[in-house]
Amino acid sequence: MQEDNRSLHDGPAARIDELCRELDRHNRLYHELDAPEISDEAYDALFRELVRLEESHPELKRPDSPTLRVGGKTLPYLETRPHRERMYGLDNVFSAGEWDAFAQRAERGLAGTGAAAGGWWADPKLDGLACELTYEDGILTQALTRGDGEVGEVVTEAMRTIRNVPLRLKGTLLPELLEVRGEVLMFRREFEELNRQQASAGQKTFANPRNAAAGSLRQLDPRITARRRLRFLAYSLGAAGSSRPLPWKTHGDVLAALSAMGFETPPLGTLCASPQEARDYFARIEARRDSLPFEIDGVVYKVSSLEAQQALGFTARAPRFAVAWKFTSRKAETRLRAISVQVGRTGVLTPVAELEPVSLGGVMVSRATLHNEDEIRRLDLRPGDAVIIQRAGDVIPDVVGPVLEKRPAGLPPFTFPRRCPACGSEARRMPGESAWRCLNLSCPAVTMRSITHFVSKAGLDVEGIGTKWIGILIASGRVKSPADLFTLAKDDLMGFERMGETSAANFIDALAEARRSATLQRFIAALGIRMVGEQTARTLAAHFRDMDELAAASQEELLALPDIGGEVAGSIRAFFETGSNRELLARLKSLGLWPVSQKPEEASALPLQGVRILFTGTLSRPRDEYRKLAEEAGAQVMSGVSKKLDFLVAGDAPGSKLEKARALGIRILDEDGFRALLTAGPGSPAER
Ligand code: IVH
């Protein structure tokens, strides 16, 4: 190219300048404007030319050269250095009330100082990794992670590879020293792409974009950082040193200046004139939370006036002029103390995370299921790890994954036990299954679980027979299966310590009552057939007269029923094909526990057949009693409010379920309405 030669004649310095300018321009066209003007090959050729020139003239290498963006030398470890000015954290608030209190405290703090807040600057709280960039005479000279706020890790090389980090600030009259603080993020799309790549390369995946961002930045080899698409969003300043007074009066001014210097700043930021406006802003951002291209975990509010910020100052931990209003947490971080292994009623060994107790959305959580061995391996979870847990919906919390950057050195991986932790016999993992199982048919833990389930609310719902007594009876050898319970006599029981005559009589009565009133649905559910829960038990009870009929049903017959798929049908067949199960059924039958269902046509004549109902608040009678009434009328009693719900029966102090049901347009009844429903069916009973 003609031009190349001409500038080369002017000397390598001019050509280096020109290449830097051109490469920067193409970078911007490509990354910011998404409108490249040259091919990747042409770009690479320019880039290689610059690398060669810089190699032969190292003294001419510019401090903002685009070659710095590919990542320099591999580091032996991450060095640490103190921040010039401490990087404070933020105090959190979790509700409108707490926010108001914070805002009022700040206003009071300003009284008499002569400074006015000037409103609140609000922007999303970015869920990434806080960092500080140091610019000397406009050139990026150092980058530190927040670390503990006093001392951070040096990540200068890695930070230079982030495309939207200016290597040289734009503009004139720049302060000689300027420290810019912000958050390093990985956008959702890049995060998903990275995890796909990692998975297909057989490498570890990241639990969330924040971990991915932190893991990608804190690399000893900055070339790895260069390949990860990170972004830096600037939201405040650290130290600034200038011979001229700094011209900025408000936080909005600072952001505008940052953006003029070439930084990207958090989107959706705005000035709220009053705490009330700030509340509205929170609601708007929370509503948009999931549609943003990156993860946020709340809103940050800062007193707008810099003079007022200074007047308010800091507590030991955090500024008095800024606060984070966090979304009610669906995620939390804690430590994995241990992984224990529980034996389920089918002999499956289920790993359970034993956690340091942590509050998650207002509830203390100390355990979470880990599902199976593969899940532990997939997450690469190790006892001792810092872990992120989350609750999706209202269910049991899940472990999202370890926080790898907090993993203590030398933490050994978890090995799944090869023996049943309850009875010590061999455990085995069947081909094609993810579960390890205890092979001992009379494993006491399996017996314990299956009997407990049999009498539990999910099963026959026998009152007053708790795990303690089941444990004692099993340990004595007197009870080995659910059927044995029904052979117990009062005298058997009175032989045990702390079992008086009345307790023994109650115990026997409760069993007799359960035997008398058991419905086929509850009986099926009580047996604990794999994959047959309450819903499937209801379907089966509606179609078969008794267990003999069900036992005789073919796979095809089962598949023809609503909501029964191949796996469930297979599991039902397998249950009846197992000798010990047939023996158990025969014994139960001989003991008189053999419920017979109404014929299907009778069943559908139940007043509340197919109706979904939920009770909430304080009712005039025990909730269980209402539940039984509803179930006997054919209704399904739900545990949470969802669109599927037909009726919510609300007692006193009904709380959030009532609000949610109202919002979903679900019909709401009081107790009288419910009684009317029982007799008349779901016509149009009185609604609240
Ligand atoms: S301003 C003195 N704005 O959240 C105020 N911080 O949990 C300085 N963060 O350490 C911070 N998004 O690193 C500010 N829009 C935002 C933010 C934000 C995320 C970080 C910040 C802070 C942490 C506190």
Coordinates of all heavy atoms in Angstrom, one line a residue, residues 554-591:
S554 N -51.3 -53.8 32.7 CA -50.1 -53.9 31.8 C -49.5 -52.5 31.6 O -50.1 -51.5 31.9 CB -50.5 -54.5 30.4 OG -51.3 -53.5 29.8
Q555 N -48.3 -52.5 31.1 CA -47.6 -51.3 30.8 C -48.5 -50.4 29.9 O -48.6 -49.2 30.1 CB -46.3 -51.6 30.1 CG -45.5 -50.4 29.6 CD -44.3 -50.1 30.6 OE1 -44.2 -50.7 31.7 NE2 -43.6 -49.1 30.3
E556 N -49.1 -51.0 28.9 CA -49.9 -50.2 27.9 C -51.1 -49.6 28.6 O -51.5 -48.4 28.4 CB -50.5 -51.1 26.8 CG -49.4 -51.6 25.8 CD -48.5 -52.6 26.5 OE1 -48.9 -53.5 27.3 OE2 -47.3 -52.5 26.2
E557 N -51.7 -50.4 29.5 CA -52.9 -49.9 30.2 C -52.5 -48.7 31.1 O -53.2 -47.7 31.1 CB -53.4 -51.0 31.2 CG -54.8 -51.4 30.9 CD -55.1 -52.6 31.8 OE1 -54.5 -53.7 31.6 OE2 -55.9 -52.5 32.7
L558 N -51.3 -48.8 31.7 CA -50.8 -47.7 32.5 C -50.6 -46.4 31.7 O -50.9 -45.3 32.0 CB -49.6 -48.1 33.3 CG -49.8 -49.1 34.4 CD1 -48.5 -49.7 34.9 CD2 -50.6 -48.6 35.5
L559 N -49.9 -46.7 30.5 CA -49.6 -45.5 29.7 C -50.8 -44.8 29.2 O -50.7 -43.6 28.8 CB -48.7 -46.0 28.5 CG -47.3 -46.4 28.8 CD1 -46.6 -47.0 27.6 CD2 -46.5 -45.1 29.2
A560 N -51.9 -45.5 29.1 CA -53.1 -44.8 28.6 C -53.7 -43.8 29.6 O -54.6 -43.0 29.3 CB -54.2 -45.9 28.3
L561 N -53.2 -43.9 30.8 CA -53.8 -43.0 31.9 C -53.2 -41.6 31.7 O -52.0 -41.4 31.3 CB -53.5 -43.5 33.3 CG -54.1 -44.9 33.5 CD1 -53.7 -45.4 34.9 CD2 -55.6 -44.8 33.4
P562 N -53.9 -40.6 32.1 CA -53.4 -39.2 32.0 C -52.1 -39.0 32.9 O -52.0 -39.6 34.0 CB -54.5 -38.3 32.6 CG -55.5 -39.2 33.3 CD -55.3 -40.6 32.7
D563 N -51.2 -38.3 32.4 CA -49.9 -37.9 33.1 C -49.0 -39.1 33.5 O -48.2 -39.0 34.4 CB -50.3 -37.2 34.4 CG -51.0 -35.9 34.2 OD1 -50.8 -35.3 33.1 OD2 -51.8 -35.5 35.0
I564 N -49.2 -40.3 32.9 CA -48.3 -41.4 33.2 C -47.5 -41.7 32.0 O -48.0 -42.1 30.9 CB -49.1 -42.6 33.7 CG1 -49.7 -42.2 35.0 CG2 -48.2 -43.8 33.8 CD1 -50.3 -43.4 35.8
G565 N -46.2 -41.5 32.1 CA -45.3 -41.7 31.0 C -44.6 -43.1 31.2 O -44.8 -43.8 32.1
G566 N -43.7 -43.3 30.3 CA -43.0 -44.6 30.2 C -42.2 -44.9 31.5 O -42.3 -46.0 32.0
E567 N -41.5 -43.9 32.0 CA -40.7 -44.2 33.2 C -41.6 -44.5 34.4 O -41.3 -45.4 35.2 CB -39.9 -42.9 33.5 CG -38.5 -42.9 32.8 CD -37.6 -41.9 33.5 OE1 -37.9 -40.7 33.3 OE2 -36.7 -42.3 34.1
V568 N -42.7 -43.8 34.6 CA -43.5 -44.0 35.7 C -44.2 -45.4 35.6 O -44.2 -46.2 36.5 CB -44.6 -42.9 35.8 CG1 -45.5 -43.2 37.0 CG2 -43.9 -41.5 36.0
A569 N -44.7 -45.7 34.4 CA -45.3 -47.0 34.2 C -44.3 -48.1 34.4 O -44.6 -49.1 35.1 CB -45.8 -47.1 32.7
G570 N -43.1 -47.9 34.0 CA -42.0 -48.9 34.2 C -41.8 -49.1 35.7 O -41.6 -50.2 36.1
S571 N -41.8 -48.0 36.4 CA -41.5 -48.1 37.8 C -42.6 -48.8 38.6 O -42.4 -49.6 39.5 CB -41.3 -46.7 38.4 OG -41.4 -46.7 39.8
I572 N -43.9 -48.6 38.1 CA -45.0 -49.3 38.7 C -44.9 -50.8 38.5 O -45.1 -51.6 39.4 CB -46.3 -48.7 38.2 CG1 -46.5 -47.2 38.6 CG2 -47.5 -49.5 38.7 CD1 -47.6 -46.5 37.9
R573 N -44.6 -51.1 37.2 CA -44.5 -52.5 36.9 C -43.4 -53.2 37.7 O -43.5 -54.2 38.3 CB -44.2 -52.7 35.4 CG -45.3 -52.3 34.4 CD -46.6 -53.1 34.6 NE -46.4 -54.5 35.0 CZ -47.1 -55.1 35.9 NH1 -48.1 -54.5 36.5 NH2 -46.8 -56.4 36.1
A574 N -42.2 -52.5 37.8 CA -41.1 -53.0 38.5 C -41.4 -53.2 40.0 O -41.0 -54.2 40.6 CB -39.9 -52.1 38.4
F575 N -42.3 -52.4 40.5 CA -42.7 -52.5 41.9 C -43.4 -53.8 42.1 O -43.1 -54.6 43.1 CB -43.6 -51.3 42.4 CG -44.1 -51.4 43.8 CD1 -43.3 -51.0 44.8 CD2 -45.3 -52.0 44.0 CE1 -43.8 -51.1 46.1 CE2 -45.8 -52.1 45.3 CZ -45.0 -51.6 46.4
F576 N -44.3 -54.1 41.2 CA -45.1 -55.3 41.4 C -44.4 -56.6 41.0 O -44.7 -57.7 41.4 CB -46.4 -55.3 40.6 CG -47.4 -54.3 41.2 CD1 -47.7 -53.1 40.6 CD2 -48.0 -54.6 42.4 CE1 -48.6 -52.2 41.2 CE2 -48.9 -53.7 43.0 CZ -49.2 -52.5 42.4
E577 N -43.3 -56.4 40.3 CA -42.5 -57.6 39.9 C -41.5 -58.0 41.0 O -40.9 -59.0 40.9 CB -41.8 -57.3 38.5 CG -42.7 -57.6 37.4 CD -42.3 -56.8 36.1 OE1 -41.2 -56.4 36.0 OE2 -43.2 -56.7 35.3
T578 N -41.4 -57.1 42.0 CA -40.4 -57.4 43.0 C -41.1 -58.3 44.1 O -42.1 -57.9 44.7 CB -39.9 -56.1 43.6 OG1 -39.4 -55.3 42.5 CG2 -38.8 -56.3 44.6
G579 N -40.4 -59.4 44.4 CA -41.0 -60.4 45.3 C -41.3 -59.8 46.7 O -42.4 -60.0 47.2
S580 N -40.4 -59.0 47.2 CA -40.6 -58.5 48.6 C -41.8 -57.5 48.6 O -42.5 -57.5 49.6 CB -39.3 -57.8 49.1 OG -39.0 -56.8 48.1
N581 N -42.0 -56.8 47.5 CA -43.2 -55.9 47.5 C -44.5 -56.7 47.5 O -45.5 -56.3 48.1 CB -43.1 -55.0 46.3 CG -41.9 -54.0 46.4 OD1 -41.5 -53.7 47.5 ND2 -41.4 -53.6 45.3
R582 N -44.5 -57.8 46.7 CA -45.7 -58.6 46.6 C -46.0 -59.2 48.0 O -47.1 -59.3 48.5 CB -45.6 -59.7 45.6 CG -45.8 -59.2 44.1 CD -46.2 -60.2 43.2 NE -45.3 -61.4 43.2 CZ -44.2 -61.4 42.4 NH1 -44.0 -60.5 41.5 NH2 -43.4 -62.5 42.5
E583 N -44.9 -59.7 48.7 CA -45.1 -60.2 50.0 C -45.7 -59.2 51.0 O -46.6 -59.5 51.8 CB -43.8 -60.7 50.6 CG -43.4 -62.1 50.2 CD -41.9 -62.3 50.4 OE1 -41.3 -61.8 51.4 OE2 -41.3 -63.0 49.5
L584 N -45.2 -58.0 50.9 CA -45.6 -56.9 51.8 C -47.1 -56.7 51.5 O -47.9 -56.6 52.5 CB -44.9 -55.6 51.5 CG -45.4 -54.4 52.2 CD1 -45.3 -54.5 53.8 CD2 -44.7 -53.1 51.8
L585 N -47.5 -56.6 50.2 CA -48.9 -56.4 49.9 C -49.8 -57.5 50.5 O -50.9 -57.3 51.0 CB -49.1 -56.2 48.4 CG -48.6 -54.9 47.8 CD1 -48.7 -54.9 46.3 CD2 -49.4 -53.7 48.4
A586 N -49.3 -58.7 50.3 CA -50.1 -59.9 50.8 C -50.3 -59.8 52.3 O -51.4 -60.0 52.8 CB -49.4 -61.2 50.4
R587 N -49.3 -59.4 53.0 CA -49.4 -59.3 54.4 C -50.4 -58.2 54.8 O -51.2 -58.3 55.7 CB -48.0 -59.0 55.1 CG -47.2 -60.3 55.2 CD -46.1 -60.1 56.2 NE -46.5 -59.8 57.6 CZ -45.8 -59.1 58.4 NH1 -44.7 -58.6 58.1 NH2 -46.2 -59.0 59.7
L588 N -50.2 -57.0 54.1 CA -51.1 -55.9 54.5 C -52.6 -56.3 54.2 O -53.5 -56.0 55.0 CB -50.7 -54.7 53.7 CG -49.4 -54.0 54.1 CD1 -49.0 -53.0 53.1 CD2 -49.5 -53.4 55.5
K589 N -52.8 -57.0 53.1 CA -54.1 -57.5 52.8 C -54.7 -58.4 53.9 O -55.8 -58.2 54.4 CB -54.1 -58.2 51.5 CG -55.5 -58.5 50.9 CD -55.4 -59.2 49.6 CE -56.8 -59.2 48.9 NZ -56.7 -59.8 47.5
S590 N -53.8 -59.3 54.4 CA -54.3 -60.3 55.4 C -54.5 -59.5 56.7 O -55.3 -60.0 57.6 CB -53.3 -61.4 55.5 OG -52.1 -60.9 56.2
L591 N -53.9 -58.4 56.9 CA -54.1 -57.6 58.1 C -55.2 -56.7 58.0 O -55.5 -55.9 58.9 CB -52.8 -56.8 58.5 CG -51.6 -57.7 58.9 CD1 -50.3 -56.9 58.8 CD2 -51.9 -58.2 60.4

